[in-house]
Amino acid sequence: MSTPDIRVEKGHAEPEEVAAITAILLARAAARPAHDVPARSGHARAGWRRLEREPGFRAPHSWR
């Protein structure tokens, strides 16, 4: 183990402090499920229409 996995960029951290941060990060990573993808619900398309894609004229009897 010649290359450290965690490096202090600014200041000076004692080995105990680096070990504490490492333990916290590993505990948080283990607590999170691997498949943490939110489920999609609702419609696949937007509820609004872009005006440039709409026809220029709508019939008077159309309620769209």
Side-chain angles (χ1 to χ4, degrees):
M1 191 165 142
S2 61
T3 306
D5 292 330
I6 296 177
R7 181 177 66 186
V8 178
E9 291 288 327
K10 197 172 195 181
H12 178 71
E14 298 296 325
E16 295 84 13
E17 294 170 326
V18 175
I21 295 291
T22 304
I24 290 170
L25 292 175
L26 289 174
R28 287 184 56 113
R32 184 179 308 153
H35 55 283
D36 194 17
V37 178
R40 292 186 67 194
S41 62
H43 300 287
R45 16 180 276 207
W48 48 271
R49 291 183 284 281
R50 295 176 62 169
L51 294 177
E52 63 267 14
R53 292 187 179 169
E54 286 292 309
F57 174 75
R58 289 187 186 167
H61 64 277
S62 173
W63 286 90
R64 235 178 68 167

